[in-house]
Amino acid sequence: MNLNLTGVHLEITPAIREYVVVKLDRVNRHFDHVIDVNVVLSVDKLRHVVDATVRVRGKDIHAEAIEPDMYAAIDALADKLNRQILKYKERLADHRCDRETLERAAPSMQPSSAAE
């Protein structure tokens, strides 16, 4: 996973960088096929805004969190991304599962010659 951190009106300290890496590790733990993650941290007066775009094969997942504290915004963003990644992963699994279920169910729907 490639991580790109950008700060707008904010210097990215090693502590913030480490905190973002630890929080986004959950996303990578749930879904291994993450290509890259772009995170933009910005500060406007008392608003701390964190935007993230996660690129996976065939889809870009975007989330944004606005909080009065930067660490709280990063936490909220990680939760939002985690939910979206799990939803995307379940959608992929359901799609694959339906095809396999239909193939397994098809032979059982046909009348068997042993019953005759």
Side-chain angles (χ1 to χ4, degrees):
M1 171 177 82
N2 295 329
L3 178 64
N4 184 13
L5 279 174
T6 307
V8 178
H9 303 291
L10 172 75
E11 182 181 341
I12 298 177
T13 63
I16 291 177
R17 178 178 295 278
E18 182 65 28
Y19 196 74
V20 170
V21 168
V22 168
K23 289 298 182 174
L24 292 182
D25 188 41
R26 285 192 320 186
V27 171
N28 201 22
R29 198 176 337 137
H30 287 300
F31 192 69
D32 293 335
H33 305 293
V34 174
I35 297 170
D36 66 350
V37 180
N38 294 323
V39 179
V40 178
L41 308 167
S42 63
V43 176
D44 284 332
K45 295 186 181 179
L46 298 176
R47 288 179 16 155
H48 296 266
V49 181
V50 182
D51 289 325
T53 303
V54 177
R55 293 191 61 215
V56 294
R57 187 175 51 198
K59 187 169 178 96
D60 290 345
I61 298 172
H62 180 76
E64 178 183 51
I66 301 171
E67 295 287 334
D69 180 38
M70 182 60 73
Y71 290 99
I74 294 169
D75 286 340
L77 177 84
D79 291 339
K80 288 179 182 182
L81 282 176
N82 195 28
R83 283 193 304 267
Q84 288 184 17
I85 289 289
L86 286 175
K87 186 176 179 181
Y88 177 70
K89 184 179 175 182
E90 287 174 7
R91 195 175 301 148
L92 286 178
D94 287 344
H95 181 70
R96 288 189 210 129
C97 182
D98 287 343
R99 191 176 327 144
E100 292 172 1
T101 305
L102 290 175
E103 289 174 359
R104 278 185 270 158
S108 65
M109 290 182 180
Q110 297 174 357
S112 63
S113 59
E116 294 175 359

